Amino acid sequence: MPEQSDHIQIPRHVAIVMDGNGRWARQRGRPRTYGHKVGSSKVHDIVEESKELGIEVLTLFAFSSENWKRPKSEVNFLMELMIQMLKKEIRKLEEKGVQVRFIGQRELLPEKLLKVIADSEARTRNNNALILQIAASYGGQWDITRAARVLAEKVARGELLPEQIDEKTLAAELAFSDLPDADLFIRTGGELRISNFLLWQAAYAEFYFTDVLWPDFSVDEYHNALRHFSGRQRRFGQTGEQVSG
Ligand code: IPE
Ligand code: IPE
Ligand code: MG
């Protein structure tokens, strides 16, 4: 990466909202789906670079709970694109030691995609060079609501007392409770919002927003985000003196 690599702090978990595909295509007089296609081709290099840098977890927002409200033709295109991408990349990911996981409301995904997901997860489950999480049909609110329901069921069965519910017991029921929370949250496409991506797990993430549209996002842009991250003092509620002393 950058020059003084010994001063660079590498985040353990990077989460990216890959936004701006539609606008990128419209700027070129092309259909939104063209933007999704070009955008999907950018994922490969970011995954590769994450692995090279020793990042442990990369979580990519591919499709939100709310994206189901888009025109059916665009939704179908995106589902098919995920199937094609996985089929195309899975062998290389497998060989490179990348573990693939999906997070999101699976029961809404088409059967054909579920099959490819199951296959990808099974083939890469013992890999540990990088954990690549694809968030599809995912929403932070869905995740927290689901965890609350699991706890309520435990209480109803008499396995848990309401007073035993704390941050730890709730966090344990969330998606990827075995992984560290996001350290760096990147959003491309210029919007300054979270759009229901990681809510709980971004509690202490550092945010990096860029106007660059996802199909233009490059490894250089990724380095810019990482450089910003590296320059920030993370205080986690403490004083600057406490964390630097
Ligand atoms: C992000 O790009 C991809 C998905 C949400 C699936 P958009 O499709 O949201 O692109 P813009 O924001 O309309 O440009
Ligand atoms: C967030 O982008 C979801 C993904 C990138 C997958 P959106 O384009 O759906 O977000 P909004 O609607 O602009 O908030
Ligand atoms: Mg968008």
Side-chain angles (χ1 to χ4, degrees):
M1 240 222 335
E3 310 72 55
Q4 335 93 311
S5 53
D6 46 335
H7 299 309
I8 288 294
Q9 291 218 56
I10 296 295
R12 293 182 67 191
H13 183 169
V14 178
I16 309 182
V17 180
M18 307 181 291
D19 194 27
N21 293 345
R23 278 164 286 162
W24 186 89
R26 298 313 297 166
Q27 284 171 5
R28 286 157 181 77
R30 306 287 295 264
R32 295 177 52 82
T33 48
Y34 177 65
H36 294 316
K37 196 162 161 35
V38 176
S40 72
S41 72
K42 299 291 159 163
V43 170
H44 179 274
D45 286 357
I46 301 304
V47 171
E48 185 78 356
E49 186 63 7
S50 301
K51 189 175 76 82
E52 291 306 313
L53 291 171
I55 288 162
E56 293 168 46
V57 187
L58 175 66
T59 304
L60 300 176
F61 205 7
F63 191 90
S64 75
S65 305
E66 290 73 28
N67 288 149
W68 290 114
K69 294 185 281 194
R70 291 192 178 193
K72 206 165 167 24
S73 56
E74 182 168 341
V75 168
N76 290 345
F77 184 90
L78 287 165
M79 294 299 142
E80 191 55 38
L81 189 60
M82 277 192 274
I83 294 168
Q84 297 311 328
M85 280 289 290
L86 269 179
K87 281 189 174 168
K88 186 166 148 262
E89 298 289 335
I90 192 62
R91 202 154 67 90
K92 273 178 275 169
L93 291 168
E94 192 179 3
E95 284 167 9
K96 289 187 174 138
V98 177
Q99 184 186 127
V100 179
R101 293 190 190 185
F102 267 76
I103 53 169
Q105 196 173 3
R106 293 188 186 221
E107 51 291 10
L108 298 182
L109 297 172
E111 196 58 39
K112 204 170 143 198
L113 176 56
L114 287 173
K115 278 207 180 99
V116 188
I117 290 175
D119 178 58
S120 308
E121 288 182 331
R123 281 167 66 175
T124 63
R125 60 180 303 156
N126 296 319
N127 285 353
N128 54 19
L130 169 75
I131 295 175
L132 170 62
Q133 298 199 102
I134 318 272
S137 189
Y138 176 89
Q141 293 177 341
W142 162 81
D143 194 9
I144 295 169
T145 306
R146 193 178 111 281
R149 193 183 312 127
V150 171
L151 294 180
E153 284 162 0
K154 285 189 181 174
V155 170
R157 287 198 300 267
E159 295 166 11
L160 186 74
L161 295 167
E163 52 270 32
Q164 288 174 312
I165 297 176
D166 56 15
E167 287 90 336
K168 241 176 121 175
T169 43
L170 194 132
E173 303 301 340
L174 294 170
F176 64 92
S177 57
D178 57 328
L179 302 178
D181 282 353
D183 297 300
L184 173 61
F185 182 116
I186 298 172
R187 181 172 186 143
T188 64
E191 308 294 355
L192 305 180
R193 54 179 174 252
I194 299 180
S195 298
N196 198 17
F197 193 26
L198 311 179
L199 298 180
W200 183 285
Q201 301 92 336
Y204 265 100
E206 298 295 328
F207 284 79
Y208 181 83
F209 294 99
T210 171
D211 288 336
V212 173
L213 303 172
W214 177 254
D216 286 331
F217 195 73
S218 61
V219 169
D220 277 352
E221 301 286 351
Y222 192 25
H223 287 173
N224 283 340
L226 291 164
R227 220 174 276 123
H228 273 267
F229 173 83
S230 191
R232 294 195 193 161
Q233 185 190 48
R234 303 183 78 193
R235 292 190 284 278
F236 298 99
Q238 294 186 287
T239 67
E241 288 74 19
Q242 282 178 299
V243 293
S244 66

